[in-house]
Amino acid sequence: MKILMLGDSITHGYTTGGGVTPYTLASTIASETGNDVINGGINGTEVFAGDDSFTTEVEQHNFADYDMVMIMYGSNDIGREGETIDDFKRGYQQGIDKILSDNPKIDLRLITMIPDYRHDNGNEDWKNKLGLSQRMVNDAVKEIAQKNGGKVFDWRANGIITSADQLLPDHLHPTDATYQAMGKALANWIKDDSPQLQPSDNTDILSAIYQYKYLYFGFDPEGETKDNPWKATPILCGSDDGINWTAIIHLPKLGNLRDGNIAVYKDWYYLIGTSWGYRTKNFKDFEELDTSFLKRDGFHDIWAPEFFTDLQGNWHIVWCANNGKRHVYVCDFDPETGTASNTWQQVDEDGGIDPHIWTHNGKYFLSIDGYWLYQSDSYLGPFELIKTDMVHEGENKTHWYEAGETMQIDNTLYFYMDHIDGSVPGVADSGVMEVQTANIDDLTHWSGPQQVSCSVNMRHGSFIKVNQQNDPTPEPTVSSLSLNQLSDDPFTLKQNVTQNVTSTVVAINSIYKFCERLLGTGSNSVRINTAVKNDGLDRVLRNFVVRSIELIQQEVNEAVALFNANDFISIKTGEPIEYLSLNIPTMLTIDSDYKDTLNDDWQRIEDKINELFAIIKQFTKGE
């Protein structure tokens, strides 16, 4: 696929002293996706004003030559104060008209401006002398994208740039690390494009789930408008750190289900939300649950039901409803049959919305209305307020928090909330998801919020750990590693790398299984995608090799760090184990030097893995 990127100095890659970052958005997207990406960014340009404006630049290209165009302007329109919001919109539309006249089928991608911290510490509503604000620019980009059938990437719904710390001292241009993170986010946006998130073989969905440590089930509000404010498509996303998420699959079969909650029982995935429930084993065939008990005369606003288990392991559902005053209610639930009983038991709490219940250390915890936390000895209450240092910003008619959800990772509790900011014109409860963390045993002190990162705008949903034991394709266990050297035939490169990566992953996971048994560590299952789209000796294959070698080096060194942290020493030296250092084969020609570099890496990987296995064998003699 051939992609053209148009934009200002941020697209160009401007950095300190007028240089260009090695991590331009175009180069990172090309590396991450294997596509041919042309950088058409120009320093200092605006949309409508000047010789190098967007409206002028589009005349230099025939867009029939491209499969996709990515457009990101706005920073100079704010800073140089050269055009009004009307000029901005008119220029954007004029340029897009030219693009679509050249190629009506082009994949049109619009990107909002990144946060600009030069004025009023990044206040999105600060206006320049022409009355232009960041919010006006960003909302205009979204409006124009929708009008022209394009897709939009909104940096406000992505947690990469949350303060001026991610920018150069000019408070506008990204640092190298931020450029790289932005490029990867845009690459994921391309790879995770919604229409492509519907694999026909649903085994692929289960396999995709097991690529991650954590799973989110919620909804994607893309397409919500003033006329359709409740537009929602249920979605699954995966993550390895709880902050950065990747869209796995949209689930349009579940209709307009919002506020999704997911729970696992044996090989069933239970899904519930406002106002239906389902269960599935494969995310292809869905069995609808009987949720008629949630409808009750005299009650309305019956929202956000969720599964939870009590301290004895019994299942329940909790929800909120209004009969003149909001209350929280629970029922008992049998996951074997999928039926509810003892419905409408009222919980003794403060009458909130979006209830979420979990347990820890023999206590029940409840969150309602976003950031209010309570604890009790019973899930029916009474619940006692936990006094926290969370900042309750935006308590007004247009900005607030709601939908508090938690997930525990090691000793840290991740607390997710929807920050309602009205970012979609005419949709009062539109917003973004934020997360903050605290020690699981001290819920009074919190880290402060940051936005989650994902190619879609994640909203009210739930979070669970992925149970790798349910993986339908468990890996074998080995006790040594032998890798194949690349032959003189360059056309065996794909097969060589694929086989060696697969063997190395099995070996690393075998080492982690030993560590789990001996040290009591949690699961650190490693997965590296070995799928390559074609067989040619091209950039796609070279990028695949680079990514594979970099990931193996990272994963092996994480295993080495675990050994060193537990005072395991090298049998050869009697010293802490040295970290693996590889030479990344970035050469453009697959020749003898390329082969020698790659084969040297395979030998180093094999030696390092077998060094770890040798240490393991000291502890497993006789087993």
Side-chain angles (χ1 to χ4, degrees), residues 435-461:
V435 60
Q436 49 188 309
T437 60
N439 184 286
I440 187 63
D441 294 314
D442 179 10
L443 300 186
T444 60
H445 301 294
W446 291 83
S447 63
Q450 70 175 103
Q451 289 185 23
V452 300
S453 172
C454 189
S455 57
V456 300
N457 185 13
M458 294 166 57
R459 290 290 307 276
H460 187 182

PDB file of all heavy atoms in Angstrom, residues 435-461:
ATOM      1  N   VAL A 435      -6.972   6.527  33.204  1.00  0.00           N
ATOM      2  CA  VAL A 435      -6.630   5.524  34.198  1.00  0.00           C
ATOM      3  C   VAL A 435      -5.658   6.127  35.203  1.00  0.00           C
ATOM      4  O   VAL A 435      -4.828   6.966  34.861  1.00  0.00           O
ATOM      5  CB  VAL A 435      -6.010   4.270  33.534  1.00  0.00           C
ATOM      6  CG1 VAL A 435      -4.741   4.616  32.778  1.00  0.00           C
ATOM      7  CG2 VAL A 435      -5.739   3.183  34.570  1.00  0.00           C
ATOM      8  N   GLN A 436      -5.804   5.741  36.451  1.00  0.00           N
ATOM      9  CA  GLN A 436      -4.810   6.060  37.461  1.00  0.00           C
ATOM     10  C   GLN A 436      -4.595   4.847  38.338  1.00  0.00           C
ATOM     11  O   GLN A 436      -5.389   3.904  38.320  1.00  0.00           O
ATOM     12  CB  GLN A 436      -5.180   7.290  38.263  1.00  0.00           C
ATOM     13  CG  GLN A 436      -6.570   7.359  38.836  1.00  0.00           C
ATOM     14  CD  GLN A 436      -6.831   8.738  39.433  1.00  0.00           C
ATOM     15  OE1 GLN A 436      -6.051   9.258  40.229  1.00  0.00           O
ATOM     16  NE2 GLN A 436      -7.931   9.355  39.034  1.00  0.00           N
ATOM     17  N   THR A 437      -3.514   4.854  39.097  1.00  0.00           N
ATOM     18  CA  THR A 437      -3.111   3.653  39.821  1.00  0.00           C
ATOM     19  C   THR A 437      -2.854   3.952  41.295  1.00  0.00           C
ATOM     20  O   THR A 437      -2.581   5.095  41.680  1.00  0.00           O
ATOM     21  CB  THR A 437      -1.825   3.050  39.219  1.00  0.00           C
ATOM     22  OG1 THR A 437      -0.761   4.022  39.294  1.00  0.00           O
ATOM     23  CG2 THR A 437      -2.042   2.654  37.771  1.00  0.00           C
ATOM     24  N   ALA A 438      -2.938   2.884  42.103  1.00  0.00           N
ATOM     25  CA  ALA A 438      -2.631   2.966  43.532  1.00  0.00           C
ATOM     26  C   ALA A 438      -2.156   1.594  43.991  1.00  0.00           C
ATOM     27  O   ALA A 438      -2.428   0.567  43.344  1.00  0.00           O
ATOM     28  CB  ALA A 438      -3.857   3.391  44.332  1.00  0.00           C
ATOM     29  N   ASN A 439      -1.446   1.565  45.102  1.00  0.00           N
ATOM     30  CA  ASN A 439      -1.097   0.286  45.719  1.00  0.00           C
ATOM     31  C   ASN A 439      -2.371  -0.390  46.183  1.00  0.00           C
ATOM     32  O   ASN A 439      -3.243   0.245  46.772  1.00  0.00           O
ATOM     33  CB  ASN A 439      -0.147   0.510  46.897  1.00  0.00           C
ATOM     34  CG  ASN A 439       0.315  -0.800  47.515  1.00  0.00           C
ATOM     35  OD1 ASN A 439      -0.435  -1.474  48.209  1.00  0.00           O
ATOM     36  ND2 ASN A 439       1.565  -1.147  47.254  1.00  0.00           N
ATOM     37  N   ILE A 440      -2.501  -1.684  45.931  1.00  0.00           N
ATOM     38  CA  ILE A 440      -3.738  -2.394  46.229  1.00  0.00           C
ATOM     39  C   ILE A 440      -4.109  -2.318  47.708  1.00  0.00           C
ATOM     40  O   ILE A 440      -5.288  -2.402  48.070  1.00  0.00           O
ATOM     41  CB  ILE A 440      -3.618  -3.875  45.773  1.00  0.00           C
ATOM     42  CG1 ILE A 440      -4.958  -4.603  45.914  1.00  0.00           C
ATOM     43  CG2 ILE A 440      -2.522  -4.586  46.534  1.00  0.00           C
ATOM     44  CD1 ILE A 440      -6.042  -4.072  45.064  1.00  0.00           C
ATOM     45  N   ASP A 441      -3.115  -2.115  48.576  1.00  0.00           N
ATOM     46  CA  ASP A 441      -3.386  -2.060  50.013  1.00  0.00           C
ATOM     47  C   ASP A 441      -3.496  -0.635  50.551  1.00  0.00           C
ATOM     48  O   ASP A 441      -3.613  -0.434  51.757  1.00  0.00           O
ATOM     49  CB  ASP A 441      -2.287  -2.823  50.780  1.00  0.00           C
ATOM     50  CG  ASP A 441      -2.316  -4.317  50.477  1.00  0.00           C
ATOM     51  OD1 ASP A 441      -3.415  -4.900  50.498  1.00  0.00           O
ATOM     52  OD2 ASP A 441      -1.240  -4.885  50.201  1.00  0.00           O
ATOM     53  N   ASP A 442      -3.433   0.348  49.649  1.00  0.00           N
ATOM     54  CA  ASP A 442      -3.579   1.750  50.073  1.00  0.00           C
ATOM     55  C   ASP A 442      -4.324   2.511  48.981  1.00  0.00           C
ATOM     56  O   ASP A 442      -3.716   3.054  48.055  1.00  0.00           O
ATOM     57  CB  ASP A 442      -2.215   2.396  50.332  1.00  0.00           C
ATOM     58  CG  ASP A 442      -2.326   3.854  50.756  1.00  0.00           C
ATOM     59  OD1 ASP A 442      -3.464   4.309  51.039  1.00  0.00           O
ATOM     60  OD2 ASP A 442      -1.286   4.543  50.807  1.00  0.00           O
ATOM     61  N   LEU A 443      -5.639   2.563  49.097  1.00  0.00           N
ATOM     62  CA  LEU A 443      -6.447   3.209  48.073  1.00  0.00           C
ATOM     63  C   LEU A 443      -6.695   4.683  48.367  1.00  0.00           C
ATOM     64  O   LEU A 443      -7.561   5.301  47.757  1.00  0.00           O
ATOM     65  CB  LEU A 443      -7.780   2.474  47.925  1.00  0.00           C
ATOM     66  CG  LEU A 443      -7.687   1.000  47.532  1.00  0.00           C
ATOM     67  CD1 LEU A 443      -9.073   0.423  47.266  1.00  0.00           C
ATOM     68  CD2 LEU A 443      -6.780   0.794  46.330  1.00  0.00           C
ATOM     69  N   THR A 444      -5.933   5.243  49.293  1.00  0.00           N
ATOM     70  CA  THR A 444      -6.078   6.671  49.593  1.00  0.00           C
ATOM     71  C   THR A 444      -5.179   7.532  48.707  1.00  0.00           C
ATOM     72  O   THR A 444      -5.481   8.693  48.462  1.00  0.00           O
ATOM     73  CB  THR A 444      -5.747   6.963  51.063  1.00  0.00           C
ATOM     74  OG1 THR A 444      -4.386   6.581  51.334  1.00  0.00           O
ATOM     75  CG2 THR A 444      -6.678   6.169  51.983  1.00  0.00           C
ATOM     76  N   HIS A 445      -4.073   6.967  48.226  1.00  0.00           N
ATOM     77  CA  HIS A 445      -3.094   7.742  47.441  1.00  0.00           C
ATOM     78  C   HIS A 445      -3.058   7.223  46.007  1.00  0.00           C
ATOM     79  O   HIS A 445      -2.788   6.039  45.774  1.00  0.00           O
ATOM     80  CB  HIS A 445      -1.703   7.648  48.073  1.00  0.00           C
ATOM     81  CG  HIS A 445      -1.647   8.151  49.483  1.00  0.00           C
ATOM     82  ND1 HIS A 445      -1.858   9.473  49.817  1.00  0.00           N
ATOM     83  CD2 HIS A 445      -1.440   7.496  50.651  1.00  0.00           C
ATOM     84  CE1 HIS A 445      -1.774   9.623  51.121  1.00  0.00           C
ATOM     85  NE2 HIS A 445      -1.527   8.437  51.650  1.00  0.00           N
ATOM     86  N   TRP A 446      -3.294   8.135  45.039  1.00  0.00           N
ATOM     87  CA  TRP A 446      -3.401   7.763  43.638  1.00  0.00           C
ATOM     88  C   TRP A 446      -2.416   8.541  42.775  1.00  0.00           C
ATOM     89  O   TRP A 446      -1.975   9.630  43.142  1.00  0.00           O
ATOM     90  CB  TRP A 446      -4.831   7.978  43.140  1.00  0.00           C
ATOM     91  CG  TRP A 446      -5.770   7.005  43.776  1.00  0.00           C
ATOM     92  CD1 TRP A 446      -6.367   7.110  45.000  1.00  0.00           C
ATOM     93  CD2 TRP A 446      -6.175   5.744  43.254  1.00  0.00           C
ATOM     94  NE1 TRP A 446      -7.133   6.000  45.268  1.00  0.00           N
ATOM     95  CE2 TRP A 446      -7.045   5.141  44.208  1.00  0.00           C
ATOM     96  CE3 TRP A 446      -5.923   5.056  42.070  1.00  0.00           C
ATOM     97  CZ2 TRP A 446      -7.618   3.886  44.003  1.00  0.00           C
ATOM     98  CZ3 TRP A 446      -6.507   3.822  41.860  1.00  0.00           C
ATOM     99  CH2 TRP A 446      -7.347   3.247  42.820  1.00  0.00           C
ATOM    100  N   SER A 447      -2.095   7.976  41.635  1.00  0.00           N
ATOM    101  CA  SER A 447      -1.043   8.519  40.778  1.00  0.00           C
ATOM    102  C   SER A 447      -1.461   9.760  40.007  1.00  0.00           C
ATOM    103  O   SER A 447      -0.630  10.521  39.537  1.00  0.00           O
ATOM    104  CB  SER A 447      -0.617   7.455  39.758  1.00  0.00           C
ATOM    105  OG  SER A 447      -1.713   7.116  38.905  1.00  0.00           O
ATOM    106  N   GLY A 448      -2.762   9.974  39.851  1.00  0.00           N
ATOM    107  CA  GLY A 448      -3.247  11.012  38.949  1.00  0.00           C
ATOM    108  C   GLY A 448      -3.567  10.399  37.594  1.00  0.00           C
ATOM    109  O   GLY A 448      -2.978   9.387  37.199  1.00  0.00           O
ATOM    110  N   PRO A 449      -4.501  10.985  36.833  1.00  0.00           N
ATOM    111  CA  PRO A 449      -5.007  10.345  35.616  1.00  0.00           C
ATOM    112  C   PRO A 449      -4.100  10.530  34.408  1.00  0.00           C
ATOM    113  O   PRO A 449      -3.396  11.521  34.279  1.00  0.00           O
ATOM    114  CB  PRO A 449      -6.342  11.050  35.395  1.00  0.00           C
ATOM    115  CG  PRO A 449      -6.141  12.409  35.987  1.00  0.00           C
ATOM    116  CD  PRO A 449      -5.225  12.218  37.165  1.00  0.00           C
ATOM    117  N   GLN A 450      -4.141   9.547  33.529  1.00  0.00           N
ATOM    118  CA  GLN A 450      -3.588   9.668  32.191  1.00  0.00           C
ATOM    119  C   GLN A 450      -4.532   8.927  31.236  1.00  0.00           C
ATOM    120  O   GLN A 450      -5.229   7.998  31.638  1.00  0.00           O
ATOM    121  CB  GLN A 450      -2.182   9.079  32.077  1.00  0.00           C
ATOM    122  CG  GLN A 450      -2.124   7.563  32.162  1.00  0.00           C
ATOM    123  CD  GLN A 450      -0.729   7.018  31.920  1.00  0.00           C
ATOM    124  OE1 GLN A 450      -0.036   6.646  32.853  1.00  0.00           O
ATOM    125  NE2 GLN A 450      -0.337   6.961  30.667  1.00  0.00           N
ATOM    126  N   GLN A 451      -4.570   9.369  29.989  1.00  0.00           N
ATOM    127  CA  GLN A 451      -5.448   8.726  29.026  1.00  0.00           C
ATOM    128  C   GLN A 451      -4.864   7.390  28.594  1.00  0.00           C
ATOM    129  O   GLN A 451      -3.646   7.250  28.448  1.00  0.00           O
ATOM    130  CB  GLN A 451      -5.651   9.613  27.800  1.00  0.00           C
ATOM    131  CG  GLN A 451      -6.514  10.838  28.066  1.00  0.00           C
ATOM    132  CD  GLN A 451      -6.785  11.627  26.802  1.00  0.00           C
ATOM    133  OE1 GLN A 451      -6.717  11.098  25.699  1.00  0.00           O
ATOM    134  NE2 GLN A 451      -7.085  12.906  26.951  1.00  0.00           N
ATOM    135  N   VAL A 452      -5.732   6.403  28.395  1.00  0.00           N
ATOM    136  CA  VAL A 452      -5.279   5.159  27.820  1.00  0.00           C
ATOM    137  C   VAL A 452      -4.958   5.395  26.351  1.00  0.00           C
ATOM    138  O   VAL A 452      -5.452   6.347  25.735  1.00  0.00           O
ATOM    139  CB  VAL A 452      -6.338   4.044  27.961  1.00  0.00           C
ATOM    140  CG1 VAL A 452      -6.656   3.779  29.419  1.00  0.00           C
ATOM    141  CG2 VAL A 452      -7.610   4.401  27.198  1.00  0.00           C
ATOM    142  N   SER A 453      -4.129   4.539  25.792  1.00  0.00           N
ATOM    143  CA  SER A 453      -3.728   4.667  24.393  1.00  0.00           C
ATOM    144  C   SER A 453      -4.333   3.525  23.586  1.00  0.00           C
ATOM    145  O   SER A 453      -4.154   2.356  23.928  1.00  0.00           O
ATOM    146  CB  SER A 453      -2.198   4.631  24.286  1.00  0.00           C
ATOM    147  OG  SER A 453      -1.793   4.578  22.934  1.00  0.00           O
ATOM    148  N   CYS A 454      -5.055   3.863  22.533  1.00  0.00           N
ATOM    149  CA  CYS A 454      -5.637   2.846  21.655  1.00  0.00           C
ATOM    150  C   CYS A 454      -6.016   3.507  20.343  1.00  0.00           C
ATOM    151  O   CYS A 454      -6.233   4.722  20.290  1.00  0.00           O
ATOM    152  CB  CYS A 454      -6.869   2.197  22.298  1.00  0.00           C
ATOM    153  SG  CYS A 454      -7.504   0.758  21.394  1.00  0.00           S
ATOM    154  N   SER A 455      -6.104   2.700  19.283  1.00  0.00           N
ATOM    155  CA  SER A 455      -6.483   3.237  17.983  1.00  0.00           C
ATOM    156  C   SER A 455      -7.960   3.575  17.930  1.00  0.00           C
ATOM    157  O   SER A 455      -8.404   4.278  17.017  1.00  0.00           O
ATOM    158  CB  SER A 455      -6.153   2.230  16.878  1.00  0.00           C
ATOM    159  OG  SER A 455      -6.802   0.997  17.115  1.00  0.00           O
ATOM    160  N   VAL A 456      -8.759   3.064  18.869  1.00  0.00           N
ATOM    161  CA  VAL A 456     -10.168   3.447  18.975  1.00  0.00           C
ATOM    162  C   VAL A 456     -10.361   4.172  20.297  1.00  0.00           C
ATOM    163  O   VAL A 456      -9.525   4.090  21.203  1.00  0.00           O
ATOM    164  CB  VAL A 456     -11.104   2.216  18.908  1.00  0.00           C
ATOM    165  CG1 VAL A 456     -10.923   1.478  17.601  1.00  0.00           C
ATOM    166  CG2 VAL A 456     -10.870   1.288  20.086  1.00  0.00           C
ATOM    167  N   ASN A 457     -11.457   4.874  20.422  1.00  0.00           N
ATOM    168  CA  ASN A 457     -11.760   5.614  21.646  1.00  0.00           C
ATOM    169  C   ASN A 457     -12.464   4.667  22.618  1.00  0.00           C
ATOM    170  O   ASN A 457     -13.673   4.506  22.587  1.00  0.00           O
ATOM    171  CB  ASN A 457     -12.641   6.822  21.332  1.00  0.00           C
ATOM    172  CG  ASN A 457     -12.879   7.697  22.554  1.00  0.00           C
ATOM    173  OD1 ASN A 457     -12.203   7.547  23.572  1.00  0.00           O
ATOM    174  ND2 ASN A 457     -13.835   8.599  22.460  1.00  0.00           N
ATOM    175  N   MET A 458     -11.687   4.017  23.470  1.00  0.00           N
ATOM    176  CA  MET A 458     -12.251   3.094  24.447  1.00  0.00           C
ATOM    177  C   MET A 458     -13.126   3.873  25.432  1.00  0.00           C
ATOM    178  O   MET A 458     -12.742   4.923  25.920  1.00  0.00           O
ATOM    179  CB  MET A 458     -11.127   2.375  25.200  1.00  0.00           C
ATOM    180  CG  MET A 458     -10.299   1.451  24.342  1.00  0.00           C
ATOM    181  SD  MET A 458      -8.750   0.931  25.125  1.00  0.00           S
ATOM    182  CE  MET A 458      -9.338   0.180  26.641  1.00  0.00           C
ATOM    183  N   ARG A 459     -14.295   3.312  25.719  1.00  0.00           N
ATOM    184  CA  ARG A 459     -15.192   3.926  26.682  1.00  0.00           C
ATOM    185  C   ARG A 459     -15.620   2.881  27.712  1.00  0.00           C
ATOM    186  O   ARG A 459     -15.071   1.796  27.782  1.00  0.00           O
ATOM    187  CB  ARG A 459     -16.400   4.544  25.958  1.00  0.00           C
ATOM    188  CG  ARG A 459     -16.040   5.791  25.120  1.00  0.00           C
ATOM    189  CD  ARG A 459     -15.672   6.969  25.992  1.00  0.00           C
ATOM    190  NE  ARG A 459     -16.713   7.227  26.960  1.00  0.00           N
ATOM    191  CZ  ARG A 459     -17.813   7.945  26.717  1.00  0.00           C
ATOM    192  NH1 ARG A 459     -18.015   8.460  25.518  1.00  0.00           N
ATOM    193  NH2 ARG A 459     -18.711   8.149  27.652  1.00  0.00           N
ATOM    194  N   HIS A 460     -16.634   3.208  28.515  1.00  0.00           N
ATOM    195  CA  HIS A 460     -17.069   2.372  29.632  1.00  0.00           C
ATOM    196  C   HIS A 460     -17.071   0.887  29.263  1.00  0.00           C
ATOM    197  O   HIS A 460     -17.813   0.440  28.399  1.00  0.00           O
ATOM    198  CB  HIS A 460     -18.467   2.809  30.066  1.00  0.00           C
ATOM    199  CG  HIS A 460     -18.946   2.127  31.313  1.00  0.00           C
ATOM    200  ND1 HIS A 460     -20.203   2.361  31.829  1.00  0.00           N
ATOM    201  CD2 HIS A 460     -18.365   1.241  32.143  1.00  0.00           C
ATOM    202  CE1 HIS A 460     -20.368   1.645  32.927  1.00  0.00           C
ATOM    203  NE2 HIS A 460     -19.264   0.958  33.133  1.00  0.00           N
ATOM    204  N   GLY A 461     -16.227   0.128  29.932  1.00  0.00           N
ATOM    205  CA  GLY A 461     -16.122  -1.306  29.706  1.00  0.00           C
ATOM    206  C   GLY A 461     -15.488  -1.964  30.909  1.00  0.00           C
ATOM    207  O   GLY A 461     -15.384  -1.370  31.986  1.00  0.00           O
TER     208      GLY A 461
END
